[in-house]
Amino acid sequence: MDLSPRQKSILEFIRKFVQENGYPPTIREIGRAANISSTSVVNYNLNILQAKGYIQRDREVSRGVKLLEKSLLEQTLASDQGIVQVPVLGRIVASEPVPIPDEPFSPLDVDESIALTRDIVQEQGPIYALQVKGDSMIDALVYDGDIVIMKAQKEAKNGDLVAAWLKAEKETTLKRFYRESTTRVRLQPANPNLKPIYVHPSNLEIQGKVIAVIRQL
Amino acid sequence: MDLSPRQKSILEFIRKFVQENGYPPTIREIGRAANISSTSVVNYNLNILQAKGYIQRDREVSRGVKLLEKSLLEQTLASDQGIVQVPVLGRIVASEPVPIPDEPFSPLDVDESIALTRDIVQEQGPIYALQVKGDSMIDALVYDGDIVIMKAQKEAKNGDLVAAWLKAEKETTLKRFYRESTTRVRLQPANPNLKPIYVHPSNLEIQGKVIAVIRQL
DNA sequence: ATTATACACGAACATTTGTTCTGTGTCAAA
DNA sequence: TTTGACACAGAACAAATGTTCGTGTATAAT
């Protein structure tokens, strides 16, 4: 891509603007977003983007900018765009550790995926989905068939909802993680009617952080 | 669809225009296409289309018209996973009936929406979202803050997960609906550890069918 | 008969909008 | 040192743009 940083930021702004608003921005809206004080400079850059095949402009027409397929194609490839293809890597059951993806994994190797928007998946990084099998996650208010959206990480912060493998019990659990001391971790169920459990950190293996749960009916 | 012929032609023109041009038409372009000589009449009809939930208008903005139904913008994406903007119409709490949108619902309530893919929302028809307030829906495995995706319908089929208003109890509940006889409906909690409740059909008002639940963490 | 509502219309207006003009600055090549 | 390309900038301008106002007609409800 032989675009200047400013041209890239203009193109990105146009994409997001169309997605959010349903219509393209004006010359002045682009200028404000890209910190360009002159409509002439915006005009100049838009003409370059058109010459290079990223947009099409209609002359003397308000908001007369159309993203061309070249832009849209990049949009579907770029991970920071509207739709995220989240690979479904398998099942989460209580009696097994969570399937942890190799890092980094290629989405092209995955047989099944679910498309989500950035409204749902805002976090960056390795994101994957697991389908819940059985009703053992009910204390996390997660039910058989639900899809759990995970971020691959082995460390948890207080308050994170994590998939944790309890070695002694040989059990995966979904609970909020709170490190209370160097010898004690509290795992708090999402259901406030249930009591937490306390484990020694050595008994615990963080397998990923839950960032969303999706239930289709 | 209770639109006048002129309103239907305006809507169709907007759809085609967006598809062909990548941006919506102006008030005057709509007028020319629909043989309306006055911008005031176009403005009047667009306000009706907005009130009936077909478009969303941004005030005092050129081309500030956005299609709310499945838009032509979705169709330009070469993908079978279009994006659905699902309006968030308010809260669902146990002590009140669900806010039921007018059909088609009014955009005056649509300050907020959530973008979902067709992987999540496969059903057609009037789809909206409600945010759960409080933990009274826990027996449906739905928790405070979750987003419930609803389809507006007043009749339920056996097995549907519905939002039902219980008139005598003055309570909204989310449960699976089973009509056992003309005098008895079973409402089955999602949590299999809980018992169903039985109500007389006259005590029950189906307010919508749940098609998905989304929990972000 | 009166009132309310829906639909329609032309005109006026303030603001928005894109283009063009003229000028400046930076940098690399000749 | 000069030249040309590229990028930037402010200002001016004509045309576009959406909203509002006042008015009219037809139909339904009171």
Side-chain angles (χ1 to χ4, degrees), chain B:
Chain B
M1 185 190 279
D2 57 338
L3 296 179
S4 71
R6 177 165 262 179
Q7 284 154 10
K8 288 177 188 172
S9 93
I10 287 173
L11 202 54
E12 187 54 31
F13 173 75
I14 294 172
R15 287 175 176 144
K16 287 179 175 174
F17 192 100
V18 171
Q19 182 169 39
E20 287 172 15
N21 295 284
Y23 49 82
T26 64
I27 301 292
R28 284 171 176 80
E29 282 163 340
I30 293 170
R32 285 195 287 273
N35 276 328
I36 300 172
S37 57
S38 165
T39 55
S40 167
V41 175
V42 179
N43 190 56
Y44 167 81
N45 280 287
L46 288 181
N47 284 339
I48 292 185
L49 287 169
Q50 174 172 256
K52 290 180 173 178
Y54 291 93
I55 62 172
Q56 174 186 318
R57 297 190 74 194
D58 291 335
R59 282 188 59 82
E60 296 174 10
V61 149
S62 73
R63 304 181 191 274
V65 172
K66 177 177 181 177
L67 294 166
L68 283 182
E69 291 186 291
K70 182 172 183 177
S71 73
L72 295 163
L73 193 59
E74 292 176 7
Q75 292 174 8
T76 61
L77 292 173
S79 162
D80 58 355
Q81 291 143 350
I83 293 183
V84 194
Q85 290 289 343
V86 180
V88 181
L89 295 189
R91 305 286 187 265
I92 177 171
V93 297
S95 55
E96 295 169 12
V98 158
I100 298 180
D102 300 323
E103 286 185 48
F105 47 77
S106 165
L108 295 177
D109 296 326
V110 179
D111 298 326
E112 182 183 346
S113 67
I114 183 169
L116 299 172
T117 62
R118 281 293 172 193
D119 277 2
I120 306 302
V121 178
Q122 287 139 18
E123 293 221 26
Q124 301 299 326
I127 306 296
Y128 60 100
L130 298 168
Q131 189 162 24
V132 174
K133 192 74 172 179
D135 55 12
S136 55
M137 306 284 173
I138 270 185
D139 62 350
L141 301 174
V142 169
Y143 190 47
D144 185 53
D146 287 0
I147 294 176
V148 177
I149 310 299
M150 308 284 299
K151 177 173 179 178
Q153 65 185 51
K154 295 185 185 303
E155 303 296 322
K157 298 188 183 103
N158 282 348
D160 282 352
L161 185 69
V162 300
W165 173 249
L166 302 180
K167 297 171 188 170
E169 291 83 352
K170 294 190 188 304
E171 175 183 277
T172 287
T173 187
L174 297 183
K175 286 185 170 61
R176 287 198 186 274
F177 172 98
Y178 297 92
R179 184 183 299 278
E180 296 199 334
S181 72
T182 54
T183 56
R184 179 156 125 155
V185 168
R186 172 164 50 103
L187 295 176
Q188 184 75 42
N191 188 334
N193 300 330
L194 297 180
K195 293 185 188 329
I197 62 176
Y198 297 88
V199 297
H200 195 281
S202 67
N203 187 29
L204 183 70
E205 192 174 303
I206 301 298
Q207 302 196 299
K209 169 179 154 179
V210 178
I211 60 177
V213 177
I214 295 175
R215 181 177 306 147
Q216 290 175 279
L217 295 130

Side-chain angles (χ1 to χ4, degrees), chain A residues 42-174:
Chain A
V42 179
N43 190 55
Y44 167 81
N45 281 289
L46 289 182
N47 284 338
I48 293 185
L49 288 170
Q50 175 171 253
K52 290 180 173 178
Y54 292 93
I55 63 172
Q56 173 188 313
R57 295 192 74 194
D58 292 337
R59 282 187 57 79
E60 295 173 10
V61 151
S62 71
R63 305 179 188 275
V65 173
K66 178 178 182 177
L67 292 167
L68 291 183
E69 198 170 314
K70 184 173 182 177
S71 309
L72 294 173
L73 184 61
E74 289 174 356
Q75 182 176 2
T76 61
L77 293 176
S79 63
D80 61 348
Q81 286 314 304
I83 294 184
V84 194
Q85 292 289 346
V86 180
V88 181
L89 295 188
R91 303 290 187 264
I92 178 171
V93 298
S95 55
E96 296 168 9
V98 158
I100 299 180
D102 300 324
E103 283 183 51
F105 55 86
S106 167
L108 297 177
D109 296 334
V110 170
D111 295 330
E112 184 185 346
S113 66
I114 182 168
L116 300 172
T117 62
R118 280 291 172 196
D119 278 0
I120 306 304
V121 179
Q122 287 140 17
E123 292 221 25
Q124 302 299 327
I127 305 296
Y128 61 99
L130 298 169
Q131 190 161 25
V132 173
K133 192 75 171 176
D135 53 13
S136 57
M137 307 284 173
I138 270 185
D139 62 350
L141 300 175
V142 169
Y143 189 50
D144 185 54
D146 287 359
I147 294 175
V148 176
I149 310 299
M150 308 286 299
K151 177 174 179 178
Q153 64 186 50
K154 295 186 185 299
E155 302 297 321
K157 297 188 185 107
N158 283 348
D160 283 353
L161 185 70
V162 299
W165 173 252
L166 301 179
K167 299 169 186 171
E169 293 82 351
K170 294 189 189 305
E171 174 183 279
T172 285
T173 188
L174 296 183

